[in-house]
Amino acid sequence: MPKSKPRNSKPKLQNDLILRAARGEKTETTPVWMMRQAGRYLPEYQAVRDEHSFFEVVGTPELACKVTLQPVERLAVDAAIIFSDILVIPQALGLEVQMVPGKGPQFPAPLTEPEEIERLTRDPDLDATLGHVFEALALTRRRLDGRVPLVGFAGAPWTLMAYMVEGGGSKSFRQARRWLWAHPEDAHALLGTLADLIAAYLVRQAEAGAQVVQVFDSHAGLLGEKTFETFALPYLARIAERFKAAHPGVPAIVFAKGAPYALDALADTDYDAISLDWTMDPQAARNVVGGRVALQGNLDPCALYAPPEKIRRRVGAMLEAFGDEGGHVANLGHGMLPDHDPRHAAAFVDAVHALSGRVRAEA
Ligand code: 1CP
């Protein structure tokens, strides 16, 4: 039985590998977690989803906490990531988002034209709209009891704008990209509103208990170098600057998927680490960023369809490519997929632990 503690005491962190690696330090072993590590590939997550809708889980701290802990308990990953979604920010701005089974998120009334920006709630009260996320973070931090750090996150301005204008997932996000050329000033106004809110949201997440934060620019790769520099980079930089000014000791990670051309500029922002997708070569990335930032990633999520022995070999190659100078957080190059086998996720985590020098403690 755990000893009882005074209600507000902060339990000591027993595993701070990810905090140190994200700051660029050399660690005894390489920390590992997976984007979308809580989700449909886990039967225990499916069991919760059989009883509750997606946004019910996100909106109920007890349930969000429960599914956040599932991969920590099953897989012994080195970080928990709070169960939520990037689309809670558009919701806080007053847009309705529905999770349609088999289709993903859908906005019944997207921002089809710039005049509709006026429909958004300016300056929403974060505690009133997203208080459930802060409560989930505080609860999860207590239940983790210092086992591993808790990661908070938000979507990046461009990625959120892409969903808000397009109305849902899309291959090309043509409507959202149309805005950048047809209505650049309105696009900048929307991106600025999003950046201010996201920065404030991440600051509050750290106050509530997040010990690392990650900004997901999942659709950065749709932009191209110049467009990224104009419509994504300044807003990503603003978020990091505000966040680090408020929480200098909390590592901030940025994931600009599909945008290798962004590495050099991102390394000059205030992010501590850059997450690489699986198409990026770790050594080439290291050559570009030098010692300016730590790196995270980057096994192809589809490599988890290979047999466990092959996963282990690929993990070995990945660790070698990132080198042994430290400053590496192992992860996938994008999220877990719904038909992944949880045993293969375990093979990935165990291989990082074993091959980077640690013998996994027997459960
Ligand atoms: O039915 C279900 O259970 C819905 C599946 C699901 C899950 C498990 C969605 C819908 N969101 C999530 C959780 C989620 N989303 C997390 C949880 C924490 C974790 O374990 O990692 C995180 C970090 C996200 C972030 C997120 N949502 C991103 C960025 C990361 C990425 O994968 O690129 C994006 C783009 C979204 C939007 C979204 N939410 C859900 C879906 C299916 C999508 C993608 C839609 C699309 O573009 O087609």
Side-chain angles (χ1 to χ4, degrees):
M1 285 294 285
K3 275 186 269 165
S4 64
K5 295 198 175 67
R7 234 180 111 67
N8 283 321
S9 77
K10 286 244 155 65
K12 191 172 156 24
L13 204 44
Q14 294 145 33
N15 172 348
D16 67 348
L17 288 167
I18 185 181
L19 305 186
R20 288 186 279 135
R23 291 188 194 115
E25 292 171 31
K26 191 170 164 117
T27 46
E28 323 65 283
T29 55
T30 304
V32 55
W33 66 285
M34 292 168 296
M35 293 187 245
R36 300 277 192 111
Q37 64 188 17
R40 286 171 290 178
Y41 79 101
L42 288 178
E44 56 270 38
Y45 172 82
Q46 286 289 10
V48 174
R49 286 282 282 106
D50 286 347
E51 305 287 321
H52 305 278
S53 75
F54 176 76
F55 280 118
E56 236 169 67
V57 181
V58 169
T60 313
E62 190 64 48
L63 294 174
C65 171
K66 182 173 176 171
V67 299
T68 299
L69 296 176
Q70 287 173 346
V72 176
E73 276 150 17
R74 182 193 272 257
L75 301 167
V77 277
D78 295 298
I81 175 163
I82 195 66
F83 191 82
S84 182
D85 199 84
I86 61 168
L87 300 175
V88 298
I89 285 285
Q91 287 177 324
L93 287 166
L95 291 183
E96 188 190 341
V97 186
Q98 298 168 350
M99 204 50 79
V100 181
K103 262 187 112 179
Q106 298 286 315
F107 291 68
L111 301 178
T112 45
E113 292 301 328
E115 301 77 68
E116 300 187 53
I117 292 179
E118 277 159 40
R119 277 173 33 215
L120 300 179
T121 317
R122 290 262 149 187
D123 249 331
D125 177 335
L126 278 175
D127 284 304
T129 51
L130 294 170
H132 54 87
V133 179
F134 309 134
E135 277 176 48
L137 283 161
L139 179 62
T140 307
R141 181 75 185 270
R142 282 203 299 278
R143 297 255 167 92
L144 276 169
D145 198 27
R147 277 176 283 171
V148 290
L150 177 59
V151 182
F153 71 91
W158 157 247
T159 289
L160 292 183
M161 173 185 161
Y163 283 106
M164 291 162 77
V165 172
E166 204 76 23
S170 149
K171 268 211 181 76
S172 67
F173 284 91
R174 185 162 67 92
Q175 296 306 329
R177 282 162 58 230
R178 177 175 68 89
W179 269 46
L180 305 182
W181 297 96
H183 313 296
E185 282 170 23
D186 301 296
H188 278 297
L190 178 55
L191 291 162
T193 301
L194 284 164
D196 292 343
L197 186 59
I198 292 160
Y201 177 49
L202 290 172
V203 168
R204 283 287 291 113
Q205 288 193 41
E207 283 163 9
Q211 291 154 296
V212 179
V213 295
Q214 178 160 316
V215 178
F216 286 88
D217 212 349
S218 303
H219 299 306
L222 291 168
L223 291 174
E225 184 161 6
K226 280 272 166 273
T227 323
F228 179 88
E229 274 171 20
T230 309
F231 292 102
L233 182 64
Y235 302 102
L236 286 170
R238 189 194 294 180
I239 291 166
E241 197 179 311
R242 298 228 182 120
F243 180 78
K244 294 298 291 191
H247 296 287
V250 179
I253 306 171
V254 61
F255 176 50
K257 184 176 174 290
Y261 46 77
L263 289 175
D264 184 39
L266 286 174
D268 278 336
T269 63
D270 290 340
Y271 291 98
D272 299 273
I274 298 178
S275 199
L276 305 181
D277 71 46
W278 71 94
T279 68
M280 301 176 185
D281 175 55
Q283 280 167 356
R286 180 53 76 199
N287 288 341
V288 171
V289 304
R292 289 177 289 171
V293 286
L295 294 173
Q296 175 173 272
N298 74 336
L299 192 75
D300 183 346
C302 289
L304 298 192
Y305 294 118
E309 192 38 51
K310 192 159 181 184
I311 294 172
R312 193 180 152 92
R313 286 202 301 276
R314 295 310 298 250
V315 166
M318 174 186 81
L319 292 171
E320 212 162 291
F322 277 96
D324 57 10
E325 307 94 74
H328 176 217
V329 177
N331 204 317
L332 300 175
H334 198 189
M336 288 295 292
L337 296 162
D339 62 350
H340 273 147
D341 182 333
R343 288 169 302 184
H344 291 212
F348 171 69
V349 173
D350 290 352
V352 174
H353 285 164
L355 299 175
S356 71
R358 171 174 25 184
V359 180
R360 189 178 164 197
E362 291 299 324

